[in-house]
Amino acid sequence: MREGDGSYPASRPGRGVSGRLRLPERVERDDVADAWKELGWRLVLEHDLLSPASFAALPRLVRLALRSAKARALAGEILERAAGHRGCDDLLADCAGVIAQFREVLDRHLRSRPADYLVSFRALLSAEEEYHWAAALGDFTDDFYPLACPHCGVTVTIAIGDYGRYSAIRDWDLGDVERRELRPATAERLTVTGKWMYETAVRDGQEVLADGISYLFGDAECPGCASVFNVADEYTSANRPVMRQGASDSYSVASYG
């Protein structure tokens, strides 16, 4: 059996042992949960690594994404892990056309306000090269973002959720101490990535998501030195993958810094 290509040893083209369909054909024909799980294991490896076969699988997954939540999730997961220092830049660049199609599919899907909205929104972030937000964005019920203060270097916890919207110092015995309320960005202050994310959530009636994004792209006060910094700027600086410029330019249709 070939490692990671999602297939069985073929007794005839397109078939596995005893005429069984290969995994990609199985998920397309039957949409069986166990087959999708196995395909995911073969394409998305441990430690956020990818099988090279994941890129070959993208066209089929994007085609299935029109009707399959599992296909949307798996394609988004592949793109989320594809960028940065893992040696996938050239393979990703070869998928430019498919990624553009995926963006269109996801945008239309989000407008329908689906049950898998957050998963699809994160997939769209990956397709727009906002890999760090795709990996980190939650539903803002209990979201935490650890940051280093750009002025004094102390680790600041940013909390956005049902327990509050604040910056704090995290003490493992006492919890979050020295809390400071976050300062959300108004719609007029949002720029580029934050504006696009916020306006998409508002367009689709996702009020909690839009509200959380306004705090995520707003300002925080450091409890240690009382300086004020922009949450999204610092998180992006620390977590956005560094793409090779040539590879990024070759497939980027819309990149929000």
Side-chain angles (χ1 to χ4, degrees):
M1 183 171 65
R2 293 191 302 274
E3 280 286 335
D5 68 354
S7 64
Y8 295 95
S11 57
R12 61 180 185 272
R15 297 277 174 163
V17 176
S18 302
R20 289 181 296 175
L21 288 169
R22 294 186 301 172
L23 272 175
E25 284 78 13
R26 285 172 59 199
V27 298
E28 185 167 3
R29 189 191 69 172
D30 300 328
D31 195 27
V32 177
D34 287 346
W36 275 108
K37 184 180 295 185
E38 185 175 353
L39 183 62
W41 286 340
R42 296 188 183 194
L43 298 181
V44 180
L45 309 178
E46 293 182 345
H47 308 299
D48 286 343
L49 298 176
L50 293 173
S51 162
S54 61
F55 297 94
L58 273 177
R60 186 188 296 268
L61 291 173
V62 170
R63 186 171 70 249
L64 293 176
L66 289 164
R67 58 180 173 82
S68 170
K70 297 183 183 68
R72 289 189 292 272
L74 182 53
E77 194 173 0
I78 289 169
L79 290 182
E80 179 186 320
R81 287 158 174 75
H85 58 275
R86 299 186 178 96
C88 298
D89 292 2
D90 292 336
L91 293 173
L92 192 60
D94 291 339
C95 298
V98 172
I99 294 171
Q101 294 173 22
F102 193 38
R103 279 196 292 266
E104 295 175 4
V105 168
L106 290 168
D107 189 64
R108 288 197 302 270
H109 181 64
L110 290 174
R111 290 172 186 268
S112 70
R113 306 183 180 187
D116 66 335
Y117 189 92
L118 182 60
V119 171
S120 296
F121 188 82
R122 288 175 57 167
L124 183 57
L125 287 169
S126 292
E128 294 285 12
E129 302 178 33
E130 297 294 340
Y131 307 107
H132 55 303
W133 293 129
L137 193 70
D139 60 4
F140 295 118
T141 58
D142 193 22
D143 287 17
F144 297 94
Y145 301 85
L147 298 173
C149 172
H151 302 282
C152 71
V154 70
T155 299
V156 179
T157 294
I158 304 297
I160 308 174
D162 294 342
Y163 295 101
R165 299 167 178 85
Y166 57 82
S167 58
I169 302 298
R170 175 150 293 182
D171 184 290
W172 294 110
D173 295 319
L174 302 176
D176 291 342
V177 298
E178 300 185 45
R179 298 185 183 190
R180 307 287 189 272
E181 292 298 313
L182 296 180
R183 308 171 188 182
T186 63
E188 295 75 21
R189 280 187 56 213
L190 290 167
T191 59
V192 198
T193 303
K195 181 179 178 65
W196 168 71
M197 290 170 63
Y198 178 83
E199 290 182 347
T200 300
V202 169
R203 179 198 71 187
D204 300 334
Q206 305 296 314
E207 296 179 0
V208 174
L209 183 61
D211 183 66
I213 289 169
S214 73
Y215 283 92
L216 191 59
F217 283 82
D219 294 332
E221 178 183 335
C222 174
C225 68
S227 64
V228 176
F229 58 88
N230 183 268
V231 175
D233 286 351
E234 295 309 315
Y235 190 85
T236 297
S237 177
N239 294 281
R240 185 169 191 169
V242 177
M243 300 291 293
R244 291 208 314 272
Q245 189 65 33
S248 179
D249 289 348
S250 67
Y251 67 83
S252 175
V253 174
S255 180
Y256 304 97

